[in-house]
Amino acid sequence: MGLRVELFARIRRDARVKGFSIRALAREHHVSRRTVRQALAAAEPPTRRIPARTAPKLDRIRAVIDQILTADLDAPRKQRHTAQRIFDRLVDEHQAVISYSTVRQYVKARRAQIAIEAGRAPVEVFVPQEHAPGAEAEVDFGDVYVDLAGVRTRCYMFAYRLSHSGKAVHRVYPTCAQEAFLEGHIEAFNALGGVPTKHIRYDNLTSAVTKVIYGGGRQRVENERWVLFKSHYGFDSFFCIPGIEGAHEKGGVEGEVGRFRRNFLTPVPAVDSLVELNDQIRVWDEAEDRRRISQRLRTVGQDFAVEQPLLAPLPLEDFDPGLILTPRVDRSSLVTVRSAKYSVPVRFINRKVRVSLRATEVRIFDGRTLIAKHPRTVARGGQCVQLDHYLEVLRIKPGALPGSTALAQARESGAFTPAHDAFWAAARKTDGDAEATRELIDVLLLHRSMDARDVIDGITAALRVGAVSADVVAVEARRVASESNTGWVRPDCHPGANADVLEHRVVSLTQRRLADPAAVIAGLPPDKRPLPSVAGYDDLLKFRAQPSSIPPSKEQIS
């Protein structure tokens, strides 16, 4: 075609510039006069007509093949004719003289046409859709693996995607149960600042659907808590066709799960907790605003800026996504939730409490009062125990502390620091095991009303002067807290004065008494006062009245 276009252009130029006749142009360019007339009539060469190829052998058996393919529409999927089987039947039953390749090519083209003519398209046809800003969103779960505190753990990624802008929110949870499903929605609504006005698309997740009504179109029986959640936030749900056939109806989020997993969770992330991972995912989600989807001219962030004001506002009241349970506290001050145990203060033993089981944490209430909060334990039979819940009983039974699970977990989590261990060891040297443990427990009780850093600073100051008393720790902790809050400086010192002098706020009289009397301990001068004496009190005994041996008379008594 390219050479003929250039030839036509030269013929038309010579006719225009040189004024050649048709005969002269044909002679000049070595073509027929018919070709010259075609070039002068139109700049574009006419397309060459390819004659239709006849297939007399195929024409005689077309109807037979069509009949077989039509019958296959109602046959079981695994018992339909292949091209080879059709060819064999044509040869055996109709004595057809035809090649296999001819039958195969015809079957390949004609099978789809017959299905479409019968209204049973073998290939799903996708019709491009437009999604109004702020109207629709899609939700799905996907599996991900995380090296959680050194252990490879299977987790679940919740993905929420606005259909118009493609703005997505991702969170990783240890479970895909309803509490994670609801918490993921709340995180997404809060992160995006609104709720879709039309609907959110789902597949048939058990977190929302109790029963799929087959033959009833998209009708579903939704569970009660999910209906309550939808009513609270004011949106409707759109359920896709069950199975793989309905995956395209929320294809945006289906592809989003895999894309995010490949781009951000490969290689397998190694974190200490899912809280740390989700904090990093929030950063990644924000960076996604600069991404362009497919051939769009605008970025995700630019489209979301248009869409966000059109979302429905969030309700004023929060919704508790946790599963509500009412277990009884056992004699170990533990409640059992989903095969895991969590501690509560010992005063609630043998009482029923209310538990809100969330995706990442467990909250325990006495009525409306929050009495304990734990990270959720995914290990079957696991325990999450807080040392603070047992302090009152440990003060009565100090011997139970060294081998307790609560102490072991406190050490592992870092709540029980080396400073606490040092205080405990120093106290045992002077007070014995039982009294030292009680002093330690009194120090641990300070954490309920004071900042942990201030208490540790108070322990350090007390140990520096050999004072193993919870009262001293409390005094020093309050001093540190007041100085950090008000910037307290001694009025008689300018900044930097006596910077090389080590000053102790606490003075241990016990240390001074046990040390060399001639030494000056902790900045105290030598004590030159005489030892105390009770001789003055002995002198007073001389003036004490002597008892009489004769009993007094009645007149004397009166």
Side-chain angles (χ1 to χ4, degrees):
M1 177 64 75
L3 296 177
R4 285 176 60 82
V5 170
E6 293 178 2
L7 174 63
F8 273 39
R10 290 197 300 270
I11 293 173
R12 292 169 65 88
R13 184 176 61 251
D14 288 348
R16 184 178 66 253
V17 176
K18 298 180 180 180
F20 285 171
S21 64
I22 293 177
R23 183 187 300 274
L25 289 171
R27 187 184 306 111
E28 177 71 20
H29 295 283
H30 306 287
V31 296
S32 66
R33 281 176 284 180
R34 179 173 175 270
T35 302
V36 172
R37 290 188 181 95
Q38 289 177 344
L40 296 178
E44 183 178 2
T47 57
R48 293 184 178 181
R49 295 179 181 177
I50 301 175
R53 183 178 178 181
T54 60
K57 294 181 179 180
L58 180 62
D59 290 340
R60 289 192 291 270
I61 58 174
R62 287 178 189 271
V64 177
I65 297 176
D66 289 353
Q67 184 180 2
I68 294 173
L69 294 177
T70 302
D72 273 354
L73 294 176
D74 297 321
R77 184 177 62 85
K78 294 185 178 182
Q79 291 178 260
R80 295 172 185 171
H81 287 77
T82 63
Q84 180 66 51
R85 178 57 182 153
I86 294 175
F87 173 75
D88 293 339
R89 288 189 61 185
L90 292 174
V91 174
D92 296 340
E93 300 175 14
H94 299 276
Q95 291 75 44
V97 180
I98 191 172
S99 67
Y100 168 71
S101 61
T102 301
V103 174
R104 183 186 61 193
Q105 292 172 6
Y106 180 77
V107 169
K108 181 179 180 181
R110 189 64 179 141
R111 191 193 298 273
Q113 294 174 359
I114 289 177
I116 292 173
E117 291 170 0
R120 305 180 188 181
V123 178
E124 188 71 29
V125 179
F126 301 125
V127 180
Q129 300 289 305
E130 288 291 331
H131 303 284
E136 301 179 47
E138 303 166 359
V139 165
D140 200 10
F141 266 111
D143 296 353
V144 295
Y145 281 89
V146 179
D147 287 340
L148 196 58
V151 178
R152 181 149 298 183
T153 306
R154 183 185 183 185
C155 300
Y156 303 89
M157 181 174 68
F158 173 90
Y160 175 100
R161 181 181 185 271
L162 291 174
S163 301
H164 174 76
S165 64
K167 175 69 173 176
V169 175
H170 309 84
R171 295 292 183 269
V172 175
Y173 297 110
T175 176
C176 60
Q178 188 183 63
E179 54 268 20
F181 186 62
L182 300 184
E183 190 169 323
H185 278 80
I186 295 173
E187 284 269 347
F189 293 158
N190 292 335
L192 302 181
V195 182
T197 57
K198 186 178 179 182
H199 59 231
I200 302 177
R201 294 175 181 264
Y202 305 93
D203 52 22
N204 301 287
L205 296 169
T206 56
S207 301
V209 176
T210 303
K211 182 180 180 181
V212 177
I213 302 176
Y214 290 96
R218 301 184 187 276
Q219 295 184 20
R220 305 290 186 271
V221 177
E222 301 176 72
N223 66 60
E224 183 177 347
R225 186 158 180 79
W226 171 241
V227 173
L228 176 63
F229 181 81
K230 290 196 308 177
S231 176
H232 180 83
Y233 280 95
F235 69 92
D236 293 324
S237 53
F238 178 95
F239 293 104
C240 301
I241 298 172
I244 193 66
E245 293 83 1
H248 68 278
E249 295 186 332
K250 57 179 184 66
V253 76
E254 292 279 353
E256 178 64 27
V257 171
R259 184 196 68 83
F260 193 87
R261 184 167 48 204
R262 289 189 300 272
N263 287 277
F264 296 101
L265 300 177
T266 303
V268 176
V271 293
D272 292 331
S273 67
L274 291 182
V275 174
E276 177 185 345
L277 178 59
N278 283 324
D279 287 342
Q280 181 59 54
I281 287 177
R282 290 184 179 90
V283 176
W284 291 335
D285 282 345
E286 290 297 325
E288 286 281 274
D289 285 350
R290 299 188 293 271
R291 182 173 66 93
R292 281 184 171 83
I293 298 176
S294 186
Q295 304 299 319
R296 295 186 186 182
L297 298 178
R298 295 158 61 91
T299 64
V300 170
Q302 291 170 338
D303 283 338
F304 177 65
V306 175
E307 184 172 29
Q308 201 281 330
L310 301 177
L311 295 171
L314 295 171
L316 297 178
E317 297 182 359
D318 294 333
F319 186 92
D320 184 2
L323 175 66
I324 303 302
L325 304 170
T326 56
R328 184 178 294 275
V329 183
D330 63 18
R331 295 181 61 186
S332 298
S333 196
L334 300 171
V335 293
T336 303
V337 181
R338 291 279 178 88
S339 301
K341 293 183 179 294
Y342 303 90
S343 67
V344 298
V346 293
R347 65 181 181 275
F348 296 101
I349 288 177
N350 291 328
R351 289 173 54 180
K352 277 193 173 184
V353 293
R354 181 170 61 90
V355 174
S356 174
L357 177 64
R358 299 192 174 190
T360 56
E361 67 177 3
V362 176
R363 295 186 175 187
I364 306 174
F365 296 85
D366 176 40
R368 293 180 176 270
T369 304
L370 179 67
I371 60 174
K373 184 168 66 173
H374 299 272
R376 180 168 177 172
T377 301
V378 296
R380 187 177 183 85
Q383 287 188 354
C384 191
V385 182
Q386 292 182 10
L387 180 58
D388 180 74
H389 294 161
Y390 297 87
L391 294 181
E392 285 83 0
V393 70
L394 286 174
R395 207 177 190 291
I396 302 171
K397 303 169 66 174
L401 177 62
S404 63
T405 303
L407 178 61
Q409 291 195 8
R411 280 199 173 103
E412 183 178 352
S413 66
F416 195 87
T417 66
H420 295 91
D421 264 324
F423 180 90
W424 197 9
R428 279 198 295 257
K429 292 180 181 179
T430 59
D431 300 334
D433 290 341
E435 288 303 320
T437 302
R438 290 189 178 96
E439 286 292 337
L440 173 66
I441 291 172
D442 287 342
V443 171
L444 294 173
L445 288 169
L446 296 175
H447 286 278
R448 295 182 179 178
S449 58
M450 306 182 71
D451 185 75
R453 187 184 301 274
D454 295 338
V455 174
I456 293 173
D457 288 342
I459 293 173
T460 304
L463 290 177
R464 198 160 46 224
V465 295
V468 285
S469 168
D471 293 337
V472 174
V473 173
V475 170
E476 280 298 287
R478 292 191 183 96
R479 182 185 64 81
V480 172
S482 64
E483 290 182 4
S484 61
N485 291 334
T486 62
W488 180 85
V489 180
R490 280 180 54 183
D492 59 341
C493 290
H494 62 81
N498 300 325
D500 57 340
V501 176
L502 179 62
E503 181 181 8
H504 296 311
R505 288 285 180 182
V506 178
V507 175
S508 172
L509 297 179
T510 302
Q511 181 184 6
R512 186 185 190 284
R513 183 175 67 252
L514 298 177
D516 183 4
V520 178
I521 305 299
L524 288 180
D527 190 357
K528 298 180 180 180
R529 294 176 298 175
L531 292 176
S533 173
V534 294
Y537 294 95
D538 292 338
D539 292 340
L540 294 175
L541 294 176
K542 300 175 181 179
F543 301 99
R544 186 172 62 178
Q546 296 296 327
S548 175
S549 59
I550 301 174
S553 63
K554 293 182 178 180
E555 292 79 4
Q556 290 177 332
I557 295 176
S558 60

